[in-house]
Amino acid sequence: MSFAVHILGANSAVPNKERFPTSQYIKVGKESILIDCGEGAQIQLSKYKLKPSKINTILISHLHGDHVYGLPGLIGSFNLAGRREPLTIIGPVGIQAFLVGVFKTTYVTLNYVIVFNELDHEGIKHITELKEVTIQAFPMKHRVPTYGYKITEKERKQNILSEAITTYTLSIDQIKAIKAGGDFVTSEGEVIPNAALTKEQVNPKSYAYCSDTVYDEDLIPFIQKVDLLYHEATYLHDLQHMAEKRKHATAKEAGMIARQANVGRLIIGHYSSRYDDLQPLEDESKIEFENVHIVRGGDVYTL
Ligand SMILES: [Zn+2]
Ligand SMILES: [Zn+2]
C-alpha cells in the first residue's frame, strides 16, 4: 500500500512567499488525511496537484493560528464545491467552537456534516480507524493544549502466491486457511509450510507527527521505532533558552528525541522565520541523528 507524507508548509508563525505555515497531506492507499491547516494550505494543495476532495479526516495539533488559520477557508471551499460526504475533524477541545464561530459570523451554512472529535486525555489513545490505518493521539507540552498523532498501517493478512494456487489447485477454503497462517497438506500427505505458499509480510509502517512541543522525553514511548518522525525544530540550539520559554524545540533536541526513540527517519520543520538558510538546522540535528532532513513545501516522504 502507498503511504506518503506530502509537505504543504513547514514554517512557524507567519507565512512568507517561500514558506507556508504548517500543513501536511498524508496519502494512505485511497485515503487522504490532512494534518494541521496553516494559512495557504489550499494554495499549496493546488500547486502540488493534491485533491482536497479526497480529504475525509483532518487532524489538528493545537489552536495556534499557524496550524488552523487555513481551516475555515478549506471547509468553506468544500461547501462551494458541493461536498456531501461527512468530514471528521479531530483536535483539542475548542476546535469545534472555533469553526462554528467563524461560520456563524460569516453566514456559512454547510451542506455536509462535520463530525468533531475533541481530545482531552493523558497518554496515548486510539482515536479512530480508517480503511487502511489506525490513528492514535498523545499529549505534548506546548503553551496551549496540543496533541501529536501516530498513524499506523493495519496488519494485513498473508498474501498467497499465485503460483501456489495453480501448482496445488487450491480451493477457496484452502486459500482462506493458508491466508490465516496454516500450512497445506497435499493429497500425498506432503506438508507444504505456509512460508512457501505466501509472500513475505511487510511490517506495518508508521508515521508520527510532533509539532508543536518543547523537548519532552515523555514522547519517546509513544513514537518508539516509527518509520518516519516529523518533529518540530523551531530554533538552533543557541536559542535553547527561547525554545524552552516559548515551549518549542531546537534542531539538536529533535535529533535527540529521534535517536532515543529509535525511529527510522527524522524530518524536521516549523522553522522560525528568522532563518533564511535552513541547512544549519539539518546539520545541527544530524550530530544527534544521522538520517534527518529539513522539509520544504512540495517535499514527499514515502514510507
Ligand atoms: Zn506553530
Ligand atoms: Zn504553537
Side-chain angles (χ1 to χ4, degrees), residues 5-26:
V5 176
H6 296 252
I7 307 298
L8 303 177
N11 217 34
S12 71
V14 289
N16 67 33
K17 70 179 188 329
E18 308 290 333
R19 292 174 0 210
F20 284 75
T22 305
S23 189
Q24 299 184 356
Y25 183 93
I26 319 295

PDB file of all heavy atoms in Angstrom, residues 5-26:
ATOM      1  N   VAL A   5       3.867  11.137   2.839  1.00  0.00           N
ATOM      2  CA  VAL A   5       3.651  12.404   3.541  1.00  0.00           C
ATOM      3  C   VAL A   5       4.038  13.532   2.592  1.00  0.00           C
ATOM      4  O   VAL A   5       5.201  13.641   2.191  1.00  0.00           O
ATOM      5  CB  VAL A   5       4.520  12.461   4.824  1.00  0.00           C
ATOM      6  CG1 VAL A   5       4.377  13.813   5.516  1.00  0.00           C
ATOM      7  CG2 VAL A   5       4.157  11.321   5.771  1.00  0.00           C
ATOM      8  N   HIS A   6       3.059  14.342   2.213  1.00  0.00           N
ATOM      9  CA  HIS A   6       3.307  15.488   1.330  1.00  0.00           C
ATOM     10  C   HIS A   6       3.372  16.737   2.191  1.00  0.00           C
ATOM     11  O   HIS A   6       2.417  17.036   2.918  1.00  0.00           O
ATOM     12  CB  HIS A   6       2.174  15.650   0.323  1.00  0.00           C
ATOM     13  CG  HIS A   6       2.039  14.497  -0.626  1.00  0.00           C
ATOM     14  ND1 HIS A   6       2.397  14.579  -1.949  1.00  0.00           N
ATOM     15  CD2 HIS A   6       1.598  13.230  -0.437  1.00  0.00           C
ATOM     16  CE1 HIS A   6       2.182  13.416  -2.540  1.00  0.00           C
ATOM     17  NE2 HIS A   6       1.690  12.574  -1.646  1.00  0.00           N
ATOM     18  N   ILE A   7       4.462  17.465   2.110  1.00  0.00           N
ATOM     19  CA  ILE A   7       4.613  18.683   2.908  1.00  0.00           C
ATOM     20  C   ILE A   7       3.977  19.852   2.149  1.00  0.00           C
ATOM     21  O   ILE A   7       4.372  20.154   1.011  1.00  0.00           O
ATOM     22  CB  ILE A   7       6.108  18.988   3.175  1.00  0.00           C
ATOM     23  CG1 ILE A   7       6.822  17.783   3.790  1.00  0.00           C
ATOM     24  CG2 ILE A   7       6.252  20.245   4.057  1.00  0.00           C
ATOM     25  CD1 ILE A   7       6.315  17.313   5.134  1.00  0.00           C
ATOM     26  N   LEU A   8       3.001  20.498   2.784  1.00  0.00           N
ATOM     27  CA  LEU A   8       2.393  21.694   2.183  1.00  0.00           C
ATOM     28  C   LEU A   8       3.065  22.947   2.721  1.00  0.00           C
ATOM     29  O   LEU A   8       3.264  23.921   2.005  1.00  0.00           O
ATOM     30  CB  LEU A   8       0.895  21.737   2.483  1.00  0.00           C
ATOM     31  CG  LEU A   8       0.087  20.511   2.034  1.00  0.00           C
ATOM     32  CD1 LEU A   8      -1.368  20.651   2.446  1.00  0.00           C
ATOM     33  CD2 LEU A   8       0.182  20.322   0.531  1.00  0.00           C
ATOM     34  N   GLY A   9       3.396  22.919   4.000  1.00  0.00           N
ATOM     35  CA  GLY A   9       4.076  24.048   4.614  1.00  0.00           C
ATOM     36  C   GLY A   9       4.767  23.590   5.877  1.00  0.00           C
ATOM     37  O   GLY A   9       4.329  22.623   6.498  1.00  0.00           O
ATOM     38  N   ALA A  10       5.857  24.260   6.236  1.00  0.00           N
ATOM     39  CA  ALA A  10       6.607  23.829   7.422  1.00  0.00           C
ATOM     40  C   ALA A  10       7.214  25.004   8.164  1.00  0.00           C
ATOM     41  O   ALA A  10       8.179  24.853   8.892  1.00  0.00           O
ATOM     42  CB  ALA A  10       7.709  22.848   7.020  1.00  0.00           C
ATOM     43  N   ASN A  11       6.623  26.175   7.979  1.00  0.00           N
ATOM     44  CA  ASN A  11       7.149  27.331   8.697  1.00  0.00           C
ATOM     45  C   ASN A  11       6.371  27.510  10.001  1.00  0.00           C
ATOM     46  O   ASN A  11       5.267  27.002  10.147  1.00  0.00           O
ATOM     47  CB  ASN A  11       7.005  28.591   7.834  1.00  0.00           C
ATOM     48  CG  ASN A  11       8.179  29.540   7.998  1.00  0.00           C
ATOM     49  OD1 ASN A  11       9.302  29.077   8.186  1.00  0.00           O
ATOM     50  ND2 ASN A  11       7.942  30.829   7.930  1.00  0.00           N
ATOM     51  N   SER A  12       6.948  28.254  10.933  1.00  0.00           N
ATOM     52  CA  SER A  12       6.188  28.597  12.131  1.00  0.00           C
ATOM     53  C   SER A  12       5.629  29.998  11.928  1.00  0.00           C
ATOM     54  O   SER A  12       6.036  30.726  11.016  1.00  0.00           O
ATOM     55  CB  SER A  12       7.098  28.569  13.350  1.00  0.00           C
ATOM     56  OG  SER A  12       7.981  29.656  13.321  1.00  0.00           O
ATOM     57  N   ALA A  13       4.712  30.347  12.795  1.00  0.00           N
ATOM     58  CA  ALA A  13       4.182  31.712  12.912  1.00  0.00           C
ATOM     59  C   ALA A  13       3.664  32.321  11.610  1.00  0.00           C
ATOM     60  O   ALA A  13       2.530  32.089  11.241  1.00  0.00           O
ATOM     61  CB  ALA A  13       5.212  32.612  13.584  1.00  0.00           C
ATOM     62  N   VAL A  14       4.489  33.069  10.897  1.00  0.00           N
ATOM     63  CA  VAL A  14       3.958  33.835   9.759  1.00  0.00           C
ATOM     64  C   VAL A  14       4.371  33.228   8.414  1.00  0.00           C
ATOM     65  O   VAL A  14       5.466  32.707   8.285  1.00  0.00           O
ATOM     66  CB  VAL A  14       4.454  35.305   9.801  1.00  0.00           C
ATOM     67  CG1 VAL A  14       3.788  36.063  10.918  1.00  0.00           C
ATOM     68  CG2 VAL A  14       5.962  35.388   9.931  1.00  0.00           C
ATOM     69  N   PRO A  15       3.449  33.311   7.414  1.00  0.00           N
ATOM     70  CA  PRO A  15       3.837  32.825   6.092  1.00  0.00           C
ATOM     71  C   PRO A  15       4.737  33.855   5.394  1.00  0.00           C
ATOM     72  O   PRO A  15       4.640  35.049   5.674  1.00  0.00           O
ATOM     73  CB  PRO A  15       2.505  32.728   5.346  1.00  0.00           C
ATOM     74  CG  PRO A  15       1.530  33.577   6.090  1.00  0.00           C
ATOM     75  CD  PRO A  15       2.068  33.817   7.461  1.00  0.00           C
ATOM     76  N   ASN A  16       5.634  33.397   4.549  1.00  0.00           N
ATOM     77  CA  ASN A  16       6.302  34.325   3.641  1.00  0.00           C
ATOM     78  C   ASN A  16       6.233  33.718   2.251  1.00  0.00           C
ATOM     79  O   ASN A  16       5.682  32.634   2.073  1.00  0.00           O
ATOM     80  CB  ASN A  16       7.738  34.650   4.099  1.00  0.00           C
ATOM     81  CG  ASN A  16       8.674  33.458   4.011  1.00  0.00           C
ATOM     82  OD1 ASN A  16       8.541  32.608   3.138  1.00  0.00           O
ATOM     83  ND2 ASN A  16       9.616  33.384   4.924  1.00  0.00           N
ATOM     84  N   LYS A  17       6.742  34.415   1.248  1.00  0.00           N
ATOM     85  CA  LYS A  17       6.458  33.943  -0.115  1.00  0.00           C
ATOM     86  C   LYS A  17       7.154  32.618  -0.439  1.00  0.00           C
ATOM     87  O   LYS A  17       6.751  31.917  -1.340  1.00  0.00           O
ATOM     88  CB  LYS A  17       6.727  35.022  -1.153  1.00  0.00           C
ATOM     89  CG  LYS A  17       8.144  35.395  -1.410  1.00  0.00           C
ATOM     90  CD  LYS A  17       8.116  36.471  -2.501  1.00  0.00           C
ATOM     91  CE  LYS A  17       9.427  36.886  -3.067  1.00  0.00           C
ATOM     92  NZ  LYS A  17      10.601  36.860  -2.256  1.00  0.00           N
ATOM     93  N   GLU A  18       8.143  32.263   0.331  1.00  0.00           N
ATOM     94  CA  GLU A  18       8.831  30.984   0.114  1.00  0.00           C
ATOM     95  C   GLU A  18       8.259  29.871   0.994  1.00  0.00           C
ATOM     96  O   GLU A  18       8.278  28.711   0.611  1.00  0.00           O
ATOM     97  CB  GLU A  18      10.324  31.112   0.482  1.00  0.00           C
ATOM     98  CG  GLU A  18      11.069  32.265  -0.160  1.00  0.00           C
ATOM     99  CD  GLU A  18      11.258  32.069  -1.636  1.00  0.00           C
ATOM    100  OE1 GLU A  18      11.293  30.924  -2.078  1.00  0.00           O
ATOM    101  OE2 GLU A  18      11.334  33.081  -2.356  1.00  0.00           O
ATOM    102  N   ARG A  19       7.805  30.244   2.181  1.00  0.00           N
ATOM    103  CA  ARG A  19       7.457  29.208   3.165  1.00  0.00           C
ATOM    104  C   ARG A  19       6.086  29.441   3.789  1.00  0.00           C
ATOM    105  O   ARG A  19       5.810  30.502   4.310  1.00  0.00           O
ATOM    106  CB  ARG A  19       8.540  29.189   4.263  1.00  0.00           C
ATOM    107  CG  ARG A  19       9.840  28.701   3.685  1.00  0.00           C
ATOM    108  CD  ARG A  19      11.076  28.731   4.529  1.00  0.00           C
ATOM    109  NE  ARG A  19      11.101  29.199   5.856  1.00  0.00           N
ATOM    110  CZ  ARG A  19      12.190  29.773   6.399  1.00  0.00           C
ATOM    111  NH1 ARG A  19      13.289  29.909   5.680  1.00  0.00           N
ATOM    112  NH2 ARG A  19      12.185  30.165   7.639  1.00  0.00           N
ATOM    113  N   PHE A  20       5.271  28.410   3.707  1.00  0.00           N
ATOM    114  CA  PHE A  20       3.928  28.477   4.277  1.00  0.00           C
ATOM    115  C   PHE A  20       3.917  27.869   5.678  1.00  0.00           C
ATOM    116  O   PHE A  20       4.738  27.013   5.985  1.00  0.00           O
ATOM    117  CB  PHE A  20       2.956  27.710   3.386  1.00  0.00           C
ATOM    118  CG  PHE A  20       2.578  28.453   2.129  1.00  0.00           C
ATOM    119  CD1 PHE A  20       3.479  28.559   1.076  1.00  0.00           C
ATOM    120  CD2 PHE A  20       1.337  29.064   2.014  1.00  0.00           C
ATOM    121  CE1 PHE A  20       3.133  29.250  -0.083  1.00  0.00           C
ATOM    122  CE2 PHE A  20       0.993  29.757   0.866  1.00  0.00           C
ATOM    123  CZ  PHE A  20       1.888  29.851  -0.182  1.00  0.00           C
ATOM    124  N   PRO A  21       2.962  28.287   6.521  1.00  0.00           N
ATOM    125  CA  PRO A  21       2.873  27.648   7.841  1.00  0.00           C
ATOM    126  C   PRO A  21       2.490  26.175   7.723  1.00  0.00           C
ATOM    127  O   PRO A  21       2.195  25.679   6.637  1.00  0.00           O
ATOM    128  CB  PRO A  21       1.784  28.443   8.558  1.00  0.00           C
ATOM    129  CG  PRO A  21       1.522  29.628   7.725  1.00  0.00           C
ATOM    130  CD  PRO A  21       1.964  29.325   6.333  1.00  0.00           C
ATOM    131  N   THR A  22       2.449  25.518   8.872  1.00  0.00           N
ATOM    132  CA  THR A  22       2.361  24.053   8.927  1.00  0.00           C
ATOM    133  C   THR A  22       1.096  23.447   8.323  1.00  0.00           C
ATOM    134  O   THR A  22      -0.013  23.813   8.699  1.00  0.00           O
ATOM    135  CB  THR A  22       2.460  23.620  10.401  1.00  0.00           C
ATOM    136  OG1 THR A  22       3.669  24.169  10.932  1.00  0.00           O
ATOM    137  CG2 THR A  22       2.481  22.120  10.526  1.00  0.00           C
ATOM    138  N   SER A  23       1.308  22.483   7.447  1.00  0.00           N
ATOM    139  CA  SER A  23       0.238  21.627   6.952  1.00  0.00           C
ATOM    140  C   SER A  23       0.846  20.445   6.190  1.00  0.00           C
ATOM    141  O   SER A  23       1.849  20.615   5.495  1.00  0.00           O
ATOM    142  CB  SER A  23      -0.697  22.415   6.025  1.00  0.00           C
ATOM    143  OG  SER A  23      -1.823  21.648   5.724  1.00  0.00           O
ATOM    144  N   GLN A  24       0.267  19.291   6.375  1.00  0.00           N
ATOM    145  CA  GLN A  24       0.745  18.085   5.674  1.00  0.00           C
ATOM    146  C   GLN A  24      -0.449  17.291   5.146  1.00  0.00           C
ATOM    147  O   GLN A  24      -1.493  17.223   5.801  1.00  0.00           O
ATOM    148  CB  GLN A  24       1.547  17.185   6.639  1.00  0.00           C
ATOM    149  CG  GLN A  24       2.766  17.873   7.205  1.00  0.00           C
ATOM    150  CD  GLN A  24       3.607  16.952   8.076  1.00  0.00           C
ATOM    151  OE1 GLN A  24       3.246  15.808   8.321  1.00  0.00           O
ATOM    152  NE2 GLN A  24       4.733  17.463   8.539  1.00  0.00           N
ATOM    153  N   TYR A  25      -0.250  16.717   3.972  1.00  0.00           N
ATOM    154  CA  TYR A  25      -1.288  15.899   3.323  1.00  0.00           C
ATOM    155  C   TYR A  25      -0.758  14.464   3.291  1.00  0.00           C
ATOM    156  O   TYR A  25       0.280  14.208   2.697  1.00  0.00           O
ATOM    157  CB  TYR A  25      -1.487  16.436   1.922  1.00  0.00           C
ATOM    158  CG  TYR A  25      -2.557  15.813   1.067  1.00  0.00           C
ATOM    159  CD1 TYR A  25      -3.847  16.340   1.030  1.00  0.00           C
ATOM    160  CD2 TYR A  25      -2.278  14.724   0.241  1.00  0.00           C
ATOM    161  CE1 TYR A  25      -4.828  15.813   0.203  1.00  0.00           C
ATOM    162  CE2 TYR A  25      -3.262  14.183  -0.595  1.00  0.00           C
ATOM    163  CZ  TYR A  25      -4.536  14.741  -0.607  1.00  0.00           C
ATOM    164  OH  TYR A  25      -5.505  14.222  -1.442  1.00  0.00           O
ATOM    165  N   ILE A  26      -1.443  13.571   3.971  1.00  0.00           N
ATOM    166  CA  ILE A  26      -0.974  12.188   4.066  1.00  0.00           C
ATOM    167  C   ILE A  26      -1.832  11.311   3.164  1.00  0.00           C
ATOM    168  O   ILE A  26      -3.060  11.282   3.314  1.00  0.00           O
ATOM    169  CB  ILE A  26      -1.091  11.650   5.523  1.00  0.00           C
ATOM    170  CG1 ILE A  26      -0.670  12.701   6.549  1.00  0.00           C
ATOM    171  CG2 ILE A  26      -0.311  10.347   5.687  1.00  0.00           C
ATOM    172  CD1 ILE A  26       0.752  13.130   6.518  1.00  0.00           C
TER     173      ILE A  26
END
